[in-house]
Amino acid sequence: MQRRSKMFLAFLLSFLLSFIPFSGNVINAVTPVAVTPVSGLSFTQGVKKTVLDNGLTVLTKEVHTAPVVSVQVWYKVGSRNEGKGESGISHQLEHLMFKGTKERPVQFGRLFSALGSQFNAFTSYDETAYFGTVQRDKLQALLILEADRMKNALIGTEQLTSEKRVVISELQGYENSPSYRLNRAVMQAAFPNRAYGLSVGGTKADVEKFTVEQVRNYYQTYYSPDNATLVITGDFATEPVLKAVKESFGKLTKNQKSKINSQERAVSQKPKSSSPIVLKEPGSAALLHVVYPLPDIKHPDVPAIDVMDAILTGGRSSRLYQALVESGLASSVGGSAAELIEPGWYEIDATAAPGQKLEKIAQVLQTSLSKLQQQGVSVEELNRAKTLLQASFVLGNQDISSQASQLGYNQTVAGDYKYIERYLGAIAKVTPEDVQRVAKTYLVPAKQTIGFFEPTQPDGQAGTSSSGSGRTVENFSPGKPVDPAELAKYLPPATSYTVSNQQPLPQQLSLANGLRVLLLPDRSLPTINISGQIDAGTEFDGNQKAGLAILTAENLMNGTQTKNALTLAQTLEDRGASLEFSASREGVSIGGEGLSANLPILIQTLADVLQNANFPADQLELSRQRALTGLQVQLDDPSTLARRVFQQAIYPENHPFHSFSTETSLKNITRDDLLSFYRQHYRPDTTTLALVGDFDPVKVKDLLNQAFTKWQAEGKPPALNLPKVSLPKTSTRVNKVIPGKAEAVTYIGYNGISRKDPRFYAALVLNQILGGDTLSSRLGTEVRDRLGLTYGIYSGFAAGINPGPFLIEMQTAPTDAQKAIASTLALLKQLREQGITEAELNTAKRSIANSYPVELANPSEVASIILNNAILGLSPAEIREFPRRIQAVNMTQIQQVIKDLIQPENVVIVTAGPGDTASKEN
């Protein structure tokens, strides 16, 4: 199950590889609560719809909770509109829309970055959207830029040639994923004569053949005001903004070319073969993917289908989780319904547990679906599914960007921004009989297309490596850095405004047992966001028991002294709430969210788990099997394998940052190990909680005191004495070979600084210039834009409580890896020798400072920020002072940071991917 408010993300090219199904454990049932709608909450209240004379639909929604605005442009064109030989042209055009316009022949990413915008774009089946969120004084500038590229985008030979290489790099990166390849094979078989059957990104063969005329014609056909929706949400006054919209967009004319939109139609479905599609290719885990045809988004069955999906795959208490994961057959299972302009599909994915057969999983899956069809669902299941769906919309619309996306998606795909209100009203009326009926109608074996991915045994290359001195064949001379003064002449001016309110600071308190709490009330929405950390991270593992902290965190929700796993799960899921734990290097993260009425349940469940987890042996074995599957997947993924090898090359074996889970270490961990780790490291005096949302601080303090009063710590908390890590004496190059991959991933770097290092703010500003943004940084400008060697490249300082690595990451074609590495090292040398300009410094500072208020406009982000500031030992006022500290960075500090932290002669370089990426020396 996926949140409907974010449903389109499941179908975006950029997110095809990111879906993680719900996971958990199920033991027995509890009596669920009845559905209690959020009274008085409307997603479209206050929305004003305006249609300009040129056909542009404008949706405005004033939201005055933070001084920021979101501007989004949704075009009703996606891969659905592509004809033969055009597969991927919508996505290719999306990339070209950032290459500049006739009046502004400059990378638009640099303009957006200079405004401090958090921006991006995506292409999907039915739509292509561009979005940016900025401080409110930058609203008019965003409108001017979006209007400019709606009509005047530069689509020439130079732009298309360079961006083709970038797109192909992106597509080849997806080829690294077995799940992507299986999904593609199943979809092509399910819909052989429809555009929906092809991946949104298209095929490499088609992309390579695109001509300038072809892409330009496509742009001139579909990028027209009467085929677009402009959405503006946030802190603005409607009438002046509409006037600005008419000044910027109103002068654009409709395109003369006719729009050849696919006709909405019923799609006949030939009976499917009962035999699955089988891919036997290099990979890690065995995968199952099944697809059933569905109607379009306007069909009256859609609400019941989504309720059915929530019953089947919505959380730990769902039917398929119980049947497949709890039984030990699968490591994960997930599902989603794609309801689009044309008839879509329902898909179910499962990852096999080690040693389990896909045929058995398919058999149990079919038995579960048949049971739903024959016996129907209980009222309790129905209420839980409705609550999950309702809560997911509220929680998914806490920030203005998400609200704008909801409006844009509904207007573009459903044809009406008010669709969500009708949809939720219909959800409330779904009956058990409706769910049983749609299960019988659509989950028909004769209409399904099923695929298996069966990983072949590695041919001996996996895990092999080679090392070199790091010398390179090429001797690249980087292009001249972009002059911000040149950029500034293309930048629309910002309007002036006065900041009327300062960011409120959280209340701080410590319970008698030492537990730290930060409270920040926010009454704008009826939601609660909990963010927390316990000092029980993987740094305490040791190499022999690597994975212990992760297994402990993952087993917390598997049972307490009074509740088993299913009771815990249903206690939350009956109310649409969630509580999750995950271990990282320096701690265990706590994440919780729900409607404000359910805060007591969230706190009581959190307290119960932190004090009374009992780690059932059978659940530990299931989580161990999932961890082993996850390890196989990580070692088969170039990005995670490269990061692992990179980290271990930087930190010596006696350093806590060196340890990673292995098959042996995971199998060595016992239940006694978990109990011992839990008792030693899960302590109130090493736990910090941050709560942001709709609550009364006095009542919350009482709740916390009641829930945690018995949780006591003995003695002093465990402490680590981390050894000092020096830079490598020379450059080191390591190559890891993974059979069957199309793209390589490279990490370059060395040990860096901690968050409390006095050089941190200067390092952050320097990094913004170097590689903080793929489209506007020096690395992005050179390696991506000018040379076209990578889809994505960025740099960063992983600065935590302890020093983490400075790193540069990039994805390239294997034959381009060496050129990209050489270019990157040349850029580092250029930075070391020539430094930066005053204009670059000022632009970077403005970009970081201007984008910071956007982060503060999201309650869940605020919860994370105030938590991180607390655990890093920073002042409570840091959330307010951060922009000022950035603006105070001067050139002398930057020069010192370059001298101290940019060492191109002493880097560790790790590349993972196909076997032809090793460095070659003269």
Side-chain angles (χ1 to χ4, degrees):
M1 173 198 164
Q2 296 173 336
R3 286 182 174 168
R4 164 69 53 176
S5 63
K6 296 290 188 182
M7 184 195 77
F8 62 86
L9 291 181
F11 315 127
L12 313 188
L13 184 66
S14 302
F15 293 88
L16 281 172
L17 310 181
S18 66
F19 173 60
I20 302 173
F22 281 84
S23 63
N25 298 282
V26 177
I27 297 178
N28 61 15
V30 293
T31 303
V33 296
V35 179
T36 51
V38 182
S39 60
L41 185 64
S42 169
F43 293 97
T44 60
Q45 184 176 359
V47 176
K48 178 179 176 63
K49 179 181 177 181
T50 306
V51 180
L52 303 189
D53 292 342
N54 59 11
L56 178 70
T57 298
V58 184
L59 302 177
T60 53
K61 181 181 181 181
E62 294 185 28
V63 184
H64 300 288
T65 54
V68 296
V69 291
S70 184
V71 174
Q72 303 188 4
V73 181
W74 290 65
Y75 294 94
K76 191 175 180 180
V77 60
S79 61
R80 176 180 72 95
N81 304 89
E82 296 166 358
K84 187 176 181 180
E86 290 185 331
S87 174
I89 195 169
S90 301
H91 175 239
Q92 180 71 75
L93 179 55
E94 175 217 315
H95 276 245
L96 288 167
M97 288 288 284
F98 285 90
K99 301 297 280 188
T101 64
K102 297 167 186 174
E103 292 185 10
R104 296 177 175 87
V106 63
Q107 166 60 256
F108 262 44
R110 296 181 203 130
L111 298 175
F112 293 136
S113 182
L115 291 172
S117 175
Q118 291 192 1
F119 67 95
N120 214 323
F122 69 81
T123 304
S124 189
Y125 295 101
D126 294 333
E127 75 276 11
T128 306
Y130 303 82
F131 47 96
T133 304
V134 293
Q135 288 189 102
R136 62 188 178 201
D137 62 321
K138 313 297 191 307
L139 170 57
Q140 190 163 345
L142 275 191
L143 293 175
I144 291 170
L145 291 176
E146 289 295 354
D148 188 15
R149 65 176 174 173
M150 178 179 281
K151 205 69 177 177
N152 304 310
L154 275 180
I155 302 174
T157 302
E158 180 183 348
Q159 291 82 14
L160 181 58
T161 300
S162 68
E163 213 58 30
K164 264 190 191 182
R165 293 192 66 182
V166 172
V167 167
I168 290 170
S169 174
E170 181 180 356
L171 296 181
Q172 292 297 94
Y174 298 138
E175 295 293 328
N176 284 349
S177 168
S179 61
Y180 173 85
R181 302 199 302 269
L182 177 62
N183 176 285
R184 178 178 56 197
V186 170
M187 288 294 290
Q188 287 179 347
F191 306 110
N193 301 312
R194 300 181 59 202
Y196 283 167
L198 295 175
S199 300
V200 171
T203 65
K204 181 182 176 182
D206 276 2
V207 172
E208 287 176 332
K209 295 176 184 175
F210 290 154
T211 65
V212 169
E213 182 182 17
Q214 188 180 13
V215 179
R216 193 178 289 154
N217 284 339
Y218 198 81
Y219 169 66
Q220 292 171 351
T221 298
Y222 292 107
Y223 279 57
S224 179
D226 57 325
N227 198 46
T229 297
L230 169 66
V231 188
I232 309 170
T233 56
D235 190 21
F236 62 88
T238 300
E239 292 309 316
V241 164
L242 285 177
K243 181 180 178 182
V245 167
K246 290 172 183 176
E247 289 174 354
S248 53
F249 283 90
K251 61 187 178 184
L252 304 182
T253 58
K254 296 180 184 180
N255 290 341
Q256 297 303 310
K257 292 176 180 281
S258 61
K259 295 169 187 60
I260 313 166
N261 284 305
S262 301
Q263 296 297 313
E264 299 179 23
R265 57 186 179 273
V267 178
S268 61
Q269 188 73 24
K270 295 180 180 179
K272 295 292 179 182
S273 167
S274 58
S275 300
I277 298 163
V278 179
L279 297 186
K280 293 186 177 182
E281 299 172 0
S284 51
L287 308 172
L288 174 146
H289 187 75
V290 60
V291 165
Y292 299 89
L294 286 184
D296 62 68
I297 193 170
K298 295 181 180 179
H299 196 283
D301 282 348
V302 163
I305 291 169
D306 287 353
V307 172
M308 175 192 74
D309 172 44
I311 290 169
L312 286 173
T313 67
R316 298 174 64 156
S317 60
S318 65
R319 289 196 175 195
L320 291 184
Y321 190 95
Q322 293 181 58
L324 295 176
V325 181
E326 178 64 21
S327 67
L329 287 173
S331 292
S332 64
V333 64
S336 63
E339 293 134 348
L340 308 170
I341 290 177
E342 293 183 16
W345 62 91
Y346 182 62
E347 61 185 6
I348 299 171
D349 298 275
T351 301
Q356 297 296 334
K357 297 293 185 183
L358 292 170
E359 292 82 2
K360 177 66 174 176
I361 294 174
Q363 179 185 353
V364 173
L365 170 62
Q366 184 55 53
T367 299
S368 298
L369 299 183
S370 297
K371 184 178 178 181
L372 175 63
Q373 293 167 330
Q374 294 162 12
Q375 300 178 16
V377 299
S378 67
V379 173
E380 291 80 8
E381 283 182 297
L382 183 72
N383 286 345
R384 185 179 305 120
K386 289 182 178 182
T387 302
L388 278 171
L389 285 168
Q390 180 196 50
S392 73
F393 276 94
V394 181
L395 295 168
N397 279 278
Q398 293 187 81
D399 63 281
I400 60 166
S401 298
S402 297
Q403 292 175 41
S405 295
Q406 182 76 65
L407 295 170
Y409 182 82
N410 287 337
Q411 180 66 34
T412 304
V413 178
D416 182 3
Y417 73 91
K418 294 181 179 179
Y419 172 83
I420 183 176
E421 309 292 0
R422 297 195 303 274
Y423 169 83
L424 288 175
I427 289 286
K429 297 177 182 176
V430 171
T431 65
E433 292 74 22
D434 290 331
V435 174
Q436 186 175 16
R437 176 181 56 78
V438 295
K440 288 181 177 179
T441 302
Y442 300 108
L443 303 183
V444 180
K447 294 182 179 180
Q448 77 171 9
T449 306
I450 189 168
F452 294 166
F453 180 87
E454 298 179 353
T456 56
Q457 289 296 319
D459 59 5
Q461 294 184 68
T464 61
S465 64
S466 61
S467 299
S469 66
R471 285 183 289 171
T472 57
V473 177
E474 296 85 353
N475 182 21
F476 282 97
S477 297
K480 188 177 180 181
V482 175
D483 182 3
E486 180 72 13
L487 190 69
K489 70 182 184 182
Y490 300 119
L491 202 61
T495 56
S496 60
Y497 80 104
T498 303
V499 178
S500 58
N501 59 326
Q502 273 197 315
Q503 170 63 34
L505 301 181
Q507 301 178 35
Q508 294 191 91
L509 65 139
S510 291
L511 305 188
N513 58 11
L515 189 151
R516 287 194 299 169
V517 181
L518 302 115
L519 301 176
L520 187 60
D522 178 356
R523 298 302 181 91
S524 59
L525 282 171
T527 60
I528 294 293
N529 295 274
I530 299 177
S531 189
Q533 179 159 309
I534 308 161
D535 296 345
T538 61
E539 61 187 2
F540 290 108
D541 278 357
N543 293 326
Q544 299 305 310
K545 298 287 185 179
L548 175 58
I550 293 173
L551 280 180
T552 304
E554 289 181 351
N555 277 270
L556 288 173
M557 295 292 289
N558 283 342
T560 66
Q561 294 172 12
T562 57
K563 293 185 173 79
N564 59 32
L566 186 58
T567 305
L568 287 169
Q570 291 187 337
T571 297
L572 297 172
E573 290 170 7
D574 285 347
R575 295 162 174 84
S578 64
L579 184 62
E580 298 176 342
F581 301 86
S582 60
S584 58
R585 284 286 167 203
E586 295 185 329
V588 170
S589 296
I590 302 168
E593 63 177 4
L595 304 180
S596 51
N598 298 317
L599 178 58
I601 292 293
L602 274 167
I603 289 179
Q604 290 160 15
T605 304
L606 175 62
D608 188 20
V609 166
L610 291 180
Q611 296 173 79
N612 305 310
N614 63 354
F615 303 101
D618 57 340
Q619 298 298 324
L620 170 58
E621 289 311 310
L622 288 175
S623 65
R624 190 198 313 275
Q625 294 305 307
R626 289 194 294 273
L628 289 168
T629 302
L631 176 62
Q632 290 177 336
V633 172
Q634 290 168 20
L635 296 179
D636 185 58
D637 177 65
S639 181
T640 53
L641 177 62
R643 179 61 190 267
R644 179 186 183 115
V645 175
F646 174 75
Q647 189 100 1
Q648 291 187 322
I650 292 174
Y651 299 102
E653 281 194 40
N654 65 336
H655 196 288
F657 289 5
H658 181 91
S659 65
F660 282 84
S661 301
T662 65
E663 182 178 354
T664 300
S665 72
L666 288 171
K667 290 181 177 178
N668 281 342
I669 296 169
T670 66
R671 180 173 180 269
D672 286 342
D673 290 328
L674 265 68
L675 286 166
S676 176
F677 190 88
Y678 175 68
R679 291 167 184 151
Q680 185 178 8
H681 295 285
Y682 282 69
R683 305 164 52 103
D685 55 346
T686 62
T687 300
T688 305
L689 296 177
L691 283 77
V692 175
D694 180 22
F695 59 78
D696 179 342
V698 175
K699 293 180 179 178
V700 170
K701 291 173 189 176
D702 289 341
L703 279 172
L704 292 168
N705 279 312
Q706 292 171 20
F708 289 101
T709 186
K710 294 181 180 178
W711 195 23
Q712 299 295 324
E714 296 181 6
K716 292 184 177 180
L720 286 171
N721 186 16
L722 273 64
K724 186 176 180 180
V725 178
S726 302
L727 289 178
K729 293 182 179 179
T730 59
S731 290
T732 304
R733 178 76 192 269
V734 180
N735 295 279
K736 302 296 288 187
V737 177
I738 311 178
K741 301 304 173 186
E743 287 279 286
V745 174
T746 298
Y747 281 89
I748 301 173
Y750 35 72
N751 190 43
I753 58 174
S754 71
R755 175 60 177 85
K756 291 189 76 174
D757 190 299
R759 298 169 294 183
F760 173 78
Y761 298 100
L764 198 60
V765 173
L766 176 65
N767 185 71
Q768 179 70 15
I769 297 167
L770 174 64
D773 185 304
T774 291
L775 295 184
S776 64
S777 65
R778 285 194 180 188
L779 285 170
T781 299
E782 178 70 13
V783 184
R784 185 192 189 277
D785 273 6
R786 191 172 80 89
L787 300 176
L789 296 174
T790 178
Y791 164 57
I793 184 169
Y794 75 93
S795 63
F797 287 89
I801 298 171
N802 300 294
F806 163 71
L807 55 86
I808 297 169
E809 182 189 5
M810 69 183 91
Q811 171 190 301
T812 63
T815 53
D816 288 339
Q818 189 54 48
K819 294 177 183 177
I821 291 168
S823 300
T824 299
L825 294 178
L827 268 172
L828 291 176
K829 291 173 184 175
Q830 181 190 65
L831 181 62
R832 174 87 180 178
E833 294 166 2
Q834 301 176 21
I836 66 169
T837 66
E838 197 75 38
E840 282 183 301
L841 172 61
N842 292 332
T843 299
K845 291 195 297 184
R846 281 196 302 270
S847 178
I848 297 172
N850 287 342
S851 67
Y852 187 64
V854 177
E855 297 180 47
L856 299 182
N858 186 329
S860 62
E861 284 289 329
V862 172
S864 296
I865 290 170
I866 63 176
L867 171 75
N868 289 333
N869 288 344
I871 62 179
L872 289 165
L874 303 173
S875 162
E878 175 68 17
I879 191 170
R880 186 181 287 172
E881 294 294 322
F882 176 79
R884 184 185 63 78
R885 299 187 197 280
I886 290 295
Q887 292 287 14
V889 171
N890 58 46
M891 186 62 80
T892 301
Q893 293 171 320
I894 292 288
Q895 290 167 344
Q896 188 63 48
V897 164
I898 292 174
K899 180 180 177 182
D900 294 347
L901 302 180
I902 301 301
Q903 306 289 343
E905 305 296 336
N906 304 91
V907 293
V908 171
I909 305 169
V910 175
T911 300
D916 53 353
T917 60
S919 61
K920 298 175 182 178
E921 300 179 46
N922 287 329

